[in-house]
Amino acid sequence: MSMTIKEIAKLAGVSQATVSKIINNYDDVGAKTKERVLAIMKEHGYRPSYAAQSLAKKVTRVIGVIYAGKINANFNHPFFVEVVSAFKKAMGLEGYDLLFFSNEQFHQEDEDYLARCQHYRVDGCIVIGGEEVEPSVYDVDKSDIPCIGVDIRLSGPKSAYIMTDNLQIGTLAAEQFYMNGSRRLGFIGGGSASHISNERLEGFQQTARSYRLEMRKEWTVQGDFFEESGFEAMKELLQNDELPNAVFAVSDLMAIGAMRAVKESERVRIEEMAVIGCDDIIAARHVEPPLTTVRQDKEKIGRMAAYMLNDMIHGRIEGTGVKLDPELIVRSSCGSKRRYVT
Amino acid sequence: MSMTIKEIAKLAGVSQATVSKIINNYDDVGAKTKERVLAIMKEHGYRPSYAAQSLAKKVTRVIGVIYAGKINANFNHPFFVEVVSAFKKAMGLEGYDLLFFSNEQFHQEDEDYLARCQHYRVDGCIVIGGEEVEPSVYDVDKSDIPCIGVDIRLSGPKSAYIMTDNLQIGTLAAEQFYMNGSRRLGFIGGGSASHISNERLEGFQQTARSYRLEMRKEWTVQGDFFEESGFEAMKELLQNDELPNAVFAVSDLMAIGAMRAVKESERVRIEEMAVIGCDDIIAARHVEPPLTTVRQDKEKIGRMAAYMLNDMIHGRIEGTGVKLDPELIVRSSCGSKRRYVT
DNA sequence: CGATAGAACGAAAGCGGTTTCGAATACAAA
DNA sequence: TTTGTATTCGAAACCGCTTTCGTTCTATCG
């Protein structure tokens, strides 16, 4: 077992209080005493108990990380990996560690994540993705711990959110199809319960309409943001008598799966089906053909989430919502050099 | 602020002890009392303080996650993402949450990760990758907290490690090159200080030698496991007067970068350069040409790491080392259908 | 009816720290 | 020498919860 502060104190012939002051850099400790105690601490590899400290100080220096919803948030989804990675780095600079809650036995018991956050008394928390249409269990408003949502709209005085502007995402995709000469547009969504997917669809539809591009409802199918679902979705799409000549998938993973389905089908060649994805994950540029995609600045999202959360923790800002601009990355899966038959 | 157990006790007209017993499911509290207290707790959204609990109980139910070394361990490296994801899931099933330590301000202060683990009094910890040749700072042996290393050999009574058999990895790659008809072999490593990279090289060399395949030392270059370094490494390789006709990179990311370099060069076409990677990350099958790779079972590594750690925590096993078998996945970047000129 | 064994509950001593505030000591100025 | 002012230190209360152990109360039995 680890040593306690009391033992160190005894060893050094001083009081607990003095040792504690040394740990916390108080300035009312003599230089020689300090040195001596420090030496003893080092010699015995003493580390103060975090639990005891945070109990006494009422501060944890820990941020809770919550993967919300069943829809699309996931520890190993490339989009979130990048976001969380940037978030982790930025929070680390501020001295925070990250606590990832297990969600495996979550649904057994009727406790929600926020309860876990309260339980741990984390200084703040980040909720990752998964906004669903039905009212969510994340009753953030009642909580008084600072919370930032990524791809999920959290409201309340101590909560904020950040996401890419989803309407714009849809718009950019549709515009590119127009420029590319595609006239018949399909859509692969992330589930009809997913808010962000629906908003992208909305932007996509609006723009398609204004350019007089054709969209049929049988050309709109839903997946779950992951690759396999994109593959299945495209297979389903290819069942139709008449086909679109372009498809926008709301995630690169699904777009990649969709392209695979096209390649495997004998009905249509990949050159005849323009594809646009969303996110610009690393794999996007490596697939064949390289994937045109609506890029989200994952690094920035993570970093800003950290800044905003940090500000909220220190009472510097009130809860707000931020939307970032997406950026179209044109590659040959829907390059402007190619022309498609209308 | 959250309520305390004392307030709940007062509200319910019972003692602290009774409330605590209810929280911890003791069986010496009356049914009616229990019900009443439970109702009050729910009504006020009471959650016991984790810090206070773990201080009193001396148990944390938290596992520390450490990304070790500067070489290759990284939060967003696809290999580790998969491993940690599986680990997280398995530990979650056991009721553990994961604490990710920030390493951003780590090197400023002279404290090592294990100290952080001790500080938090985590029940166990997992150290991810980054084994280096020089003696590491992870003085695990001195620590008494259960530790499992992934891709890093931890020793000591309370520590174990798990990794894929690196010699075999090298062997499989070389054998495939032989079967494929490649006779001149290049190698892209993960840094000469990386143990796992060096072992793969060793297996590769041994097998190459036994098949009498040619390896020149100028055909062996070092990267850092990430894509850009593979790109640079291949560019460097291509400077040579004479070239290999096959290259084994110790990570898929580097292999992908290397293929990109080949494609961009006018000196040699991608069809003339067989490439094998390692890991079998998701992108491997999607690049063009699809990447032949030595697969590591990332899911299994993560899962087994969890089991082993769990066993160690409960004193069921002593520290050991486990090596898993790799598996060759043949795709067209080095498929057996193609033949290379010797 | 008294004795007795459970059942139900509470007092109090930790767990390992922090922090306030007063005491003791040192040193400078008067 | 006396007084005043820093400087250095420690006693003790507290943070919120767990757990032991003893006490009280109730129900059952001879």
Side-chain angles (χ1 to χ4, degrees):
Chain A
M1 284 301 114
S2 272
M3 307 209 74
T4 72
I5 197 174
K6 208 174 293 181
E7 304 178 80
I8 296 292
K10 181 168 298 175
L11 252 36
V14 297
S15 75
Q16 269 191 61
T18 301
V19 178
S20 174
K21 286 174 183 174
I22 291 171
I23 293 172
N24 294 286
N25 273 313
Y26 278 60
D27 56 0
D28 65 340
V29 173
K32 310 184 61 168
T33 315
K34 185 167 182 175
E35 199 177 343
R36 180 161 40 94
V37 175
L38 242 24
I40 292 183
M41 284 176 23
K42 172 153 292 180
E43 177 190 351
H44 291 78
Y46 166 76
R47 300 283 158 182
S49 153
Y50 168 79
Q53 283 190 138
S54 68
L55 176 58
K57 294 208 224 185
K58 293 159 167 285
V59 169
T60 58
R61 290 262 108 187
V62 165
I63 301 298
V65 178
I66 296 172
Y67 287 86
K70 320 196 67 64
I71 296 190
N72 61 5
N74 208 304
F75 185 84
N76 56 354
H77 189 294
F79 172 74
F80 291 122
V81 167
E82 294 300 323
V83 170
V84 174
S85 180
F87 178 80
K88 175 172 181 294
K89 182 181 290 180
M91 287 314 278
L93 252 15
E94 301 288 331
Y96 288 98
D97 293 323
L98 265 39
L99 185 62
F100 286 65
F101 297 114
S102 59
N103 46 6
E104 282 65 28
Q105 51 180 24
F106 168 41
H107 290 283
Q108 304 173 11
E109 308 173 23
D110 162 46
E111 55 165 355
D112 54 348
Y113 283 112
L114 239 42
R116 310 274 288 278
C117 283
Q118 281 189 221
H119 176 208
Y120 278 101
R121 307 289 197 268
V122 295
D123 290 349
C125 80
I126 178 172
V127 181
I128 311 284
E131 185 174 28
E132 295 167 33
V133 172
E134 339 152 21
S136 89
V137 288
Y138 307 98
D139 215 340
V140 172
D141 308 77
K142 285 203 310 201
S143 156
D144 59 345
I145 79 168
C147 253
I148 179 120
V150 172
D151 271 8
I152 178 171
R153 253 158 297 230
L154 264 30
S155 63
K158 293 252 196 171
S159 35
Y161 67 88
I162 181 169
M163 61 179 66
T164 308
D165 186 325
N166 289 301
L167 283 172
Q168 263 195 71
I169 289 177
T171 294
L172 286 178
E175 281 180 349
Q176 174 64 13
F177 281 143
Y178 174 75
M179 311 230 310
N180 186 63
S182 306
R183 292 294 172 264
R184 302 151 63 83
L185 273 37
F187 177 88
I188 298 179
S192 54
S194 163
H195 253 309
I196 60 173
S197 171
N198 289 344
E199 285 185 9
R200 291 171 194 180
L201 174 58
E202 198 179 320
F204 190 67
Q205 280 175 324
Q206 279 177 6
T207 309
R209 208 173 304 132
S210 69
Y211 283 112
R212 312 208 167 284
L213 306 179
E214 184 178 0
M215 287 191 72
R216 300 191 191 172
K217 61 173 164 313
E218 64 267 29
W219 292 345
T220 287
V221 295
Q222 298 291 345
D224 64 5
F225 285 92
F226 283 89
E227 182 185 345
E228 206 51 34
S229 76
F231 179 78
E232 297 298 336
M234 182 59 98
K235 279 215 311 207
E236 188 183 330
L237 232 163
L238 294 176
Q239 305 285 346
N240 286 301
D241 291 338
E242 295 189 70
L243 296 183
N245 50 24
V247 168
F248 170 46
V250 299
S251 79
D252 283 348
L253 242 30
M254 288 198 296
I256 289 171
M259 292 206 297
R260 183 159 54 90
V262 172
K263 287 190 214 165
E264 287 186 11
S265 90
E266 55 259 345
R267 184 145 171 227
V268 48
R269 287 177 310 146
I270 187 67
E271 296 81 14
E272 300 168 344
M273 180 70 76
V275 175
I276 296 182
C278 180
D279 289 349
D280 194 26
I281 64 176
I282 299 169
R285 56 186 293 195
H286 294 302
V287 295
E288 184 57 34
L291 182 64
T292 293
T293 188
V294 183
R295 171 168 228 274
Q296 300 196 61
D297 194 335
K298 301 162 285 298
E299 203 278 336
K300 182 171 183 181
I301 291 176
R303 196 161 19 94
M304 282 201 59
Y307 294 157
M308 290 171 68
L309 183 55
N310 210 28
D311 281 344
M312 289 179 47
I313 289 175
H314 296 94
R316 291 196 289 263
I317 63 165
E318 304 272 287
T320 42
V322 170
K323 294 194 178 185
L324 267 37
D325 288 334
E327 177 192 5
L328 184 74
I329 305 290
V330 180
R331 301 200 184 92
S332 46
S333 79
C334 180
S336 48
K337 290 174 192 160
R338 300 190 302 160
R339 290 256 132 205
Y340 293 88
V341 193
T342 319
Chain B
M1 283 300 113
S2 271
M3 307 209 74
T4 72
I5 198 174
K6 207 176 294 181
E7 303 178 83
I8 296 292
K10 181 168 297 174
L11 251 35
V14 297
S15 74
Q16 273 190 57
T18 301
V19 178
S20 174
K21 287 175 183 174
I22 290 172
I23 293 173
N24 294 286
N25 275 312
Y26 277 60
D27 57 358
D28 68 338
V29 34
K32 311 183 62 167
T33 315
K34 184 167 181 174
E35 200 176 342
R36 180 160 42 92
V37 174
L38 242 23
I40 292 183
M41 283 176 22
K42 173 154 291 182
E43 177 189 349
H44 291 79
Y46 167 75
R47 300 283 158 182
S49 153
Y50 168 79
Q53 283 190 138
S54 67
L55 177 58
K57 293 205 220 184
K58 292 160 166 287
V59 169
T60 60
R61 290 262 107 187
V62 166
I63 301 297
V65 179
I66 295 173
Y67 287 86
K70 319 196 68 62
I71 296 191
N72 60 6
N74 208 305
F75 184 84
N76 57 354
H77 189 294
F79 173 75
F80 292 122
V81 166
E82 294 301 323
V83 170
V84 173
S85 181
F87 178 80
K88 176 174 181 293
K89 182 181 289 180
M91 287 315 276
L93 252 17
E94 302 288 332
Y96 288 99
D97 293 323
L98 264 40
L99 185 61
F100 286 66
F101 296 113
S102 59
N103 47 7
E104 281 65 27
Q105 51 178 24
F106 168 42
H107 289 283
Q108 304 173 12
E109 307 173 24
D110 156 51
E111 55 165 356
D112 55 349
Y113 283 110
L114 239 43
R116 310 273 288 277
C117 283
Q118 282 189 220
H119 177 206
Y120 278 101
R121 307 289 197 268
V122 295
D123 290 349
C125 81
I126 177 172
V127 181
I128 312 284
E131 185 174 27
E132 297 167 32
V133 172
E134 341 153 21
S136 90
V137 290
Y138 306 98
D139 215 340
V140 172
D141 307 75
K142 284 204 310 200
S143 157
D144 59 346
I145 79 168
C147 254
I148 178 117
V150 172
D151 270 9
I152 178 171
R153 254 159 295 231
L154 264 29
S155 63
K158 294 252 194 169
S159 35
Y161 67 88
I162 181 169
M163 60 178 67
T164 308
D165 187 323
N166 289 300
L167 283 172
Q168 262 194 70
I169 289 178
T171 295
L172 286 178
E175 281 179 350
Q176 174 64 14
F177 280 142
Y178 175 75
M179 311 230 309
N180 186 64
S182 306
R183 292 296 173 264
R184 301 151 65 82
L185 274 37
F187 177 87
I188 298 180
S192 53
S194 164
H195 253 311
I196 60 175
S197 171
N198 289 345
E199 285 185 11
R200 290 171 196 179
L201 172 57
E202 196 180 322
F204 190 65
Q205 279 175 325
Q206 280 176 6
T207 309
R209 207 172 305 133
S210 70
Y211 283 112
R212 311 210 169 282
L213 307 179
E214 183 179 0
M215 285 191 74
R216 301 191 191 171
K217 61 173 164 308
E218 64 266 30
W219 292 346
T220 286
V221 293
Q222 298 292 343
D224 65 4
F225 285 93
F226 282 89
E227 183 186 343
E228 207 51 33
S229 77
F231 179 78
E232 297 298 335
M234 182 58 97
K235 279 215 312 206
E236 187 183 331
L237 232 163
L238 294 177
Q239 305 285 347
N240 286 301
D241 291 338
E242 294 189 71
L243 297 182
N245 51 23
V247 168
F248 171 46
V250 299
S251 81
D252 284 348
L253 241 29
M254 289 199 295
I256 290 171
M259 292 206 298
R260 183 158 56 87
V262 172
K263 287 191 214 165
E264 287 186 11
S265 89
E266 56 259 343
R267 182 142 175 229
V268 49
R269 288 177 310 146
I270 188 68
E271 296 81 16
E272 300 167 344
M273 179 72 76
V275 175
I276 296 182
C278 180
D279 290 349
D280 195 27
I281 63 176
I282 299 170
R285 57 187 291 195
H286 293 303
V287 294
E288 185 56 35
L291 182 65
T292 292
T293 187
V294 184
R295 172 168 227 273
Q296 301 196 62
D297 194 337
K298 300 161 286 298
E299 204 278 336
K300 183 171 184 182
I301 291 176
R303 195 161 20 92
M304 284 201 59
Y307 293 158
M308 290 171 69
L309 182 56
N310 210 27
D311 281 345
M312 288 179 48
I313 290 174
H314 296 94
R316 290 196 289 263
I317 63 166
E318 304 272 286
T320 42
V322 169
K323 294 194 178 186
L324 267 37
D325 288 333
E327 177 192 4
L328 185 74
I329 306 290
V330 180
R331 301 201 184 92
S332 45
S333 79
C334 179
S336 48
K337 288 173 191 161
R338 300 191 300 160
R339 289 257 132 205
Y340 292 87
V341 194
T342 320

